[in-house]
Amino acid sequence: MHAQLRPDRSTPTVTFDEMLERVRYEGVYPTRERAEESVRTVLAALGRQITGEELVDLAQRLPLEAALALTSSTPDIEQLSGWGFAKDLATRTGVSPAVARWDAGAVLASVSALAGPDLLARILQRLPDGYALLFGQAQLRPHQPAA
């Protein structure tokens, strides 16, 4: 089932071209095309991991082309950890896990800025461990009493 964009979709704060330039800068990609490839593959992979209101709310904050990439995939039955996400992305794209992790970080840092802190916190609460670092955030763990 694909997420539906709400009809009252607000205008994103950046264009797709501006988003690609930011990702190109963050990822140190040699071309716009390479940045666009990363945006589309990482967002499709992210769309397989998040669902519900968080998916719809994030899609509304992205430029249309990015929102379509995010909502183009059927959600996975099982959520992956952050490292599992990178490994799955590597398998699907034919790159090494290190390159997939790099691509994810470059794209999700830009997504983080567009999502804003409140939505990002909601998304990270729904995802398993390891995603905060992919979004350029500290991975905070709940306080555990000393044994």
Side-chain angles (χ1 to χ4, degrees):
M1 177 177 196
H2 297 291
Q4 297 289 323
L5 297 180
R6 293 181 184 161
D8 62 340
R9 178 176 161 81
S10 60
T11 304
T13 58
V14 300
T15 66
F16 189 59
D17 286 336
E18 291 168 332
M19 181 181 184
L20 291 180
E21 281 307 309
R22 180 173 180 166
V23 170
R24 183 176 177 192
Y25 177 81
E26 290 288 330
V28 194
Y29 296 121
T31 64
R32 179 188 184 281
E33 291 75 20
R34 177 65 179 95
E36 184 171 353
E37 177 185 330
S38 291
V39 166
R40 291 186 188 281
T41 58
V42 170
L43 288 178
L46 181 63
R48 288 190 291 276
Q49 295 300 306
I50 60 175
T51 58
E53 286 186 35
E54 287 76 21
L55 179 66
V56 174
D57 290 349
L58 180 57
Q60 288 181 324
R61 295 185 188 191
L62 298 175
L64 180 60
E65 299 89 336
L68 291 173
L70 177 72
T71 59
S72 68
S73 299
T74 303
D76 283 344
I77 294 170
E78 183 179 333
Q79 281 191 316
L80 302 171
S81 68
W83 176 237
F85 177 84
K87 289 192 308 186
D88 182 64
L89 187 59
T91 300
R92 290 176 187 268
T93 59
V95 300
S96 73
V99 170
R101 165 62 180 91
W102 182 269
D103 290 346
V107 173
L108 297 180
S110 179
V111 169
S112 174
L114 295 172
D118 294 337
L119 177 55
L120 183 59
R122 286 180 25 224
I123 290 169
L124 291 175
Q125 284 178 338
R126 296 256 198 172
L127 292 170
D129 283 345
Y131 281 88
L133 293 174
L134 294 175
F135 280 95
Q137 305 294 307
Q139 179 74 49
L140 301 177
R141 300 217 182 259
H143 174 68
Q144 306 228 348

PDB file of all heavy atoms in Angstrom, residues 110-122:
ATOM      1  N   SER A 110      20.205  16.001   4.767  1.00  0.00           N
ATOM      2  CA  SER A 110      19.363  16.997   4.112  1.00  0.00           C
ATOM      3  C   SER A 110      17.896  16.802   4.498  1.00  0.00           C
ATOM      4  O   SER A 110      17.180  17.766   4.785  1.00  0.00           O
ATOM      5  CB  SER A 110      19.525  16.886   2.595  1.00  0.00           C
ATOM      6  OG  SER A 110      18.712  17.815   1.934  1.00  0.00           O
ATOM      7  N   VAL A 111      17.448  15.552   4.547  1.00  0.00           N
ATOM      8  CA  VAL A 111      16.078  15.245   4.940  1.00  0.00           C
ATOM      9  C   VAL A 111      15.826  15.707   6.377  1.00  0.00           C
ATOM     10  O   VAL A 111      14.765  16.243   6.697  1.00  0.00           O
ATOM     11  CB  VAL A 111      15.796  13.737   4.783  1.00  0.00           C
ATOM     12  CG1 VAL A 111      14.478  13.343   5.444  1.00  0.00           C
ATOM     13  CG2 VAL A 111      15.786  13.361   3.309  1.00  0.00           C
ATOM     14  N   SER A 112      16.812  15.523   7.228  1.00  0.00           N
ATOM     15  CA  SER A 112      16.706  15.942   8.628  1.00  0.00           C
ATOM     16  C   SER A 112      16.401  17.430   8.734  1.00  0.00           C
ATOM     17  O   SER A 112      15.542  17.854   9.501  1.00  0.00           O
ATOM     18  CB  SER A 112      18.011  15.604   9.357  1.00  0.00           C
ATOM     19  OG  SER A 112      18.004  16.107  10.657  1.00  0.00           O
ATOM     20  N   ALA A 113      17.117  18.218   7.953  1.00  0.00           N
ATOM     21  CA  ALA A 113      16.903  19.670   7.979  1.00  0.00           C
ATOM     22  C   ALA A 113      15.499  20.030   7.484  1.00  0.00           C
ATOM     23  O   ALA A 113      14.862  20.938   8.029  1.00  0.00           O
ATOM     24  CB  ALA A 113      17.960  20.368   7.136  1.00  0.00           C
ATOM     25  N   LEU A 114      15.017  19.330   6.474  1.00  0.00           N
ATOM     26  CA  LEU A 114      13.681  19.615   5.941  1.00  0.00           C
ATOM     27  C   LEU A 114      12.573  19.127   6.865  1.00  0.00           C
ATOM     28  O   LEU A 114      11.507  19.729   6.943  1.00  0.00           O
ATOM     29  CB  LEU A 114      13.526  18.981   4.558  1.00  0.00           C
ATOM     30  CG  LEU A 114      14.435  19.555   3.469  1.00  0.00           C
ATOM     31  CD1 LEU A 114      14.345  18.729   2.205  1.00  0.00           C
ATOM     32  CD2 LEU A 114      14.092  21.012   3.198  1.00  0.00           C
ATOM     33  N   ALA A 115      12.824  18.038   7.575  1.00  0.00           N
ATOM     34  CA  ALA A 115      11.817  17.476   8.475  1.00  0.00           C
ATOM     35  C   ALA A 115      11.603  18.363   9.689  1.00  0.00           C
ATOM     36  O   ALA A 115      10.479  18.526  10.159  1.00  0.00           O
ATOM     37  CB  ALA A 115      12.230  16.077   8.919  1.00  0.00           C
ATOM     38  N   GLY A 116      12.679  18.921  10.202  1.00  0.00           N
ATOM     39  CA  GLY A 116      12.585  19.700  11.433  1.00  0.00           C
ATOM     40  C   GLY A 116      12.708  18.796  12.640  1.00  0.00           C
ATOM     41  O   GLY A 116      12.509  17.583  12.551  1.00  0.00           O
ATOM     42  N   PRO A 117      13.016  19.376  13.796  1.00  0.00           N
ATOM     43  CA  PRO A 117      13.312  18.565  14.983  1.00  0.00           C
ATOM     44  C   PRO A 117      12.141  17.742  15.509  1.00  0.00           C
ATOM     45  O   PRO A 117      12.327  16.610  15.958  1.00  0.00           O
ATOM     46  CB  PRO A 117      13.781  19.590  16.018  1.00  0.00           C
ATOM     47  CG  PRO A 117      13.310  20.904  15.526  1.00  0.00           C
ATOM     48  CD  PRO A 117      13.181  20.800  14.033  1.00  0.00           C
ATOM     49  N   ASP A 118      10.934  18.262  15.463  1.00  0.00           N
ATOM     50  CA  ASP A 118       9.791  17.522  16.014  1.00  0.00           C
ATOM     51  C   ASP A 118       9.460  16.289  15.187  1.00  0.00           C
ATOM     52  O   ASP A 118       9.294  15.194  15.722  1.00  0.00           O
ATOM     53  CB  ASP A 118       8.565  18.422  16.142  1.00  0.00           C
ATOM     54  CG  ASP A 118       8.752  19.520  17.169  1.00  0.00           C
ATOM     55  OD1 ASP A 118       9.600  19.365  18.070  1.00  0.00           O
ATOM     56  OD2 ASP A 118       8.047  20.544  17.072  1.00  0.00           O
ATOM     57  N   LEU A 119       9.356  16.465  13.876  1.00  0.00           N
ATOM     58  CA  LEU A 119       9.059  15.324  13.013  1.00  0.00           C
ATOM     59  C   LEU A 119      10.213  14.327  13.032  1.00  0.00           C
ATOM     60  O   LEU A 119       9.984  13.119  13.084  1.00  0.00           O
ATOM     61  CB  LEU A 119       8.763  15.780  11.584  1.00  0.00           C
ATOM     62  CG  LEU A 119       8.512  14.662  10.568  1.00  0.00           C
ATOM     63  CD1 LEU A 119       7.385  13.732  11.028  1.00  0.00           C
ATOM     64  CD2 LEU A 119       8.210  15.258   9.197  1.00  0.00           C
ATOM     65  N   LEU A 120      11.434  14.816  13.021  1.00  0.00           N
ATOM     66  CA  LEU A 120      12.585  13.909  13.062  1.00  0.00           C
ATOM     67  C   LEU A 120      12.561  13.071  14.337  1.00  0.00           C
ATOM     68  O   LEU A 120      12.801  11.857  14.298  1.00  0.00           O
ATOM     69  CB  LEU A 120      13.895  14.682  12.949  1.00  0.00           C
ATOM     70  CG  LEU A 120      15.149  13.812  12.915  1.00  0.00           C
ATOM     71  CD1 LEU A 120      15.120  12.829  11.747  1.00  0.00           C
ATOM     72  CD2 LEU A 120      16.386  14.686  12.845  1.00  0.00           C
ATOM     73  N   ALA A 121      12.223  13.680  15.454  1.00  0.00           N
ATOM     74  CA  ALA A 121      12.138  12.934  16.714  1.00  0.00           C
ATOM     75  C   ALA A 121      11.062  11.850  16.627  1.00  0.00           C
ATOM     76  O   ALA A 121      11.273  10.722  17.083  1.00  0.00           O
ATOM     77  CB  ALA A 121      11.848  13.885  17.872  1.00  0.00           C
ATOM     78  N   ARG A 122       9.935  12.158  16.029  1.00  0.00           N
ATOM     79  CA  ARG A 122       8.871  11.159  15.868  1.00  0.00           C
ATOM     80  C   ARG A 122       9.324  10.008  14.981  1.00  0.00           C
ATOM     81  O   ARG A 122       9.054   8.835  15.274  1.00  0.00           O
ATOM     82  CB  ARG A 122       7.619  11.805  15.266  1.00  0.00           C
ATOM     83  CG  ARG A 122       6.866  12.669  16.249  1.00  0.00           C
ATOM     84  CD  ARG A 122       5.608  13.334  15.678  1.00  0.00           C
ATOM     85  NE  ARG A 122       4.981  12.674  14.557  1.00  0.00           N
ATOM     86  CZ  ARG A 122       4.529  13.321  13.476  1.00  0.00           C
ATOM     87  NH1 ARG A 122       4.643  14.641  13.366  1.00  0.00           N
ATOM     88  NH2 ARG A 122       3.943  12.664  12.502  1.00  0.00           N
TER      89      ARG A 122
END
